[in-house]
Amino acid sequence: MRFALSFFFLAKVCLADVASYISMEGPIAKAGVLANIGTKGAKPGIVIASPSTIDPDYLYTWTRDSSLVFKLLIDQYTRRIDTTLLNQITDFITAEGILQGVSNPSGSVGEPKFNVDETAFTGPWGRPQRDGPALRATAMMTFANYLISSGNISYPANTIWPMVKIDLDYVSANWNNTGFDLWEEVDGSSFFTIAVQHRALREGATFATLQGDNTRAATYNTQAANLLCFLQGFWSSSSSALIANINVNNGRGGLDANTILGSIHTFDPAAGPDAITFQPGSDKALLNHYTTVNSFRGSLYTINSHIAAGQAVNIGRYKEDVYYNGNPWYLATFAAAEQLYLAIYQWEQAGQINVTSTSLPFFTQLVSSTTVQNYPSNTPGYRTLISAVFSYADGFLELAKEYTPSSGRLSEQYLKSNGTQTSAVDLTWSYASALTAFFARNGTILGNAWGAKGLTTPCGPGATVSITFLETATTMSGESIYITGSIDALQNWSTSTALPLSSTKYPVWSITLDVPASTTFQYKYIRIRNGVVTWESDPNRSLTSPASGTYTERDTWR
Ligand code: NOJ
Ligand code: NOJ
């Protein structure tokens, strides 16, 4: 009894702690965001990443940071939480329209950062970064949809749609090419980037239809389906997690706050806790949260080393990070909390928590008696889980509170040794990430529905992937190279209908074929001259097609 009472007392103190942190830090964070727009030489509507000019120099504008920040401000404006933001929002749109037209080293809207006077930054950098155009389109469409619903048709049609088109045409045409991740370090395919691109194209298809552009709507829809399929490939059941970067070999384990950020920034309040889009409350996103958070436990950060399993820890970008020696980041710790508040919203909407074998480890770390079953919302078991997850989420905010100085100012990072702030001061994105987490905790849902509801995987039976076969073969005049193999797409070993390769890059012969996804098949090249067929030597070649995306196979005649 005494234990129960004091536990209750403790729990109440913690709740009050977090609430008082929010009421203290919320206004500071909001002021911190606004202070970084159009200041320090920046043109109106330009978001500076941070006023820091040395160690590190962040007095630039990044499309990613700016768009995430303005998505928050646009959500506040369109929900009438703050009706004073209209001028900042239109300044932002004007400024981004200028940046879209500035010629830059990427040669595209994939250029990640610009000088604050709206000229190109021409120094070396990890470019392009293909998340920025998608995030910007999402922010602008959110505003446009609001205007349209309140009767303003012309600004969305004449100003916003032309800009959104530029960003989404770029995403639609380039998502399948590698680019740098949100941390500007890894050139590959990145979960965060692919997730926000998928979202933007889904909303974009609806928006294009609204603007009477059915051709673009169709293109965006087709590419969104391809993106959704590709997105599935980031899930690794053997790692119990989403792998942050694929199509790279960077020597990292792949656990990264990238994936938690991807989940919260593609939250759709109209969807359920669906795993296909890794919604915050889905079993896969929860297991990913569990595994990713665990990667920051133990001795990695001294300030985490005393924290027991099942309790919140300070979160960084990824455990192998060496930038400023690798520390916790406010925006990552806030994101870990935010995913869980959004998950709770999704369970409340669904009226249940469906604990699967996938999400079980996430729940048993908090409530050890949890089993694989459906917990309907009118049961004590459901209430126990909800309050455990809520307290766990609050734990991340308590850590942020502990390492927020009394001024309330938030830098980019805080030292792993003792929590002292380091790297860029007054990071705009840190403030924005605090605010979105606070809104989520208070049950104020900022996100808008973007079309996640009811999506089913396009990667099932019937899905195909595109494989390019390159065969190096020297040939006699009049002789050509063909391919044939064990599946329909390869003519079932026929030589008379074998598929001809092109010799435009002779001696490399090539052909690109659509073959069923995730399928193992055999094939061989043959050469045909005057109707005479010569087979490659045995054994047959074997290949397993990927689940999604494209693949290039390089062979040499044998
Ligand atoms: C600056 C980038 O902004 C940061 O994300 C990165 O870690 C460092 N450069 C090192 O590449
Ligand atoms: C470095 C971060 O890694 C990157 O995500 C961010 O865009 C820039 N700093 C600017 O804040």
Side-chain angles (χ1 to χ4, degrees), residues 255 289-316 318-319 336 340 361-362 365-366 392-393 395-396 399:
L255 307 179
H289 189 282
Y290 171 78
T291 307
T292 305
V293 168
N294 281 347
S295 72
F296 294 100
R297 295 188 186 282
S299 56
L300 181 71
Y301 301 152
T302 306
I303 57 173
N304 282 346
S305 56
H306 67 283
I307 301 177
Q311 307 226 324
V313 286
N314 299 286
I315 307 295
Y318 51 91
K319 70 169 187 227
L340 302 182
F362 170 82
Q365 71 174 335
L366 306 177
Y392 181 47
F396 293 95
L399 291 170

Side-chain angles (χ1 to χ4, degrees), residues 149-173:
S149 73
S150 44
N152 180 345
I153 308 296
S154 60
Y155 185 77
N158 301 332
T159 303
I160 299 184
W161 174 229
M163 289 177 64
V164 165
K165 257 195 295 205
I166 292 171
D167 283 342
L168 293 186
D169 285 357
Y170 175 79
V171 170
S172 178

Side-chain angles (χ1 to χ4, degrees), residues 87-101:
N87 290 340
Q88 278 101 320
I89 294 169
T90 51
D91 283 350
F92 164 71
I93 292 172
T94 305
E96 295 299 317
I98 292 167
L99 293 184
Q100 277 188 330

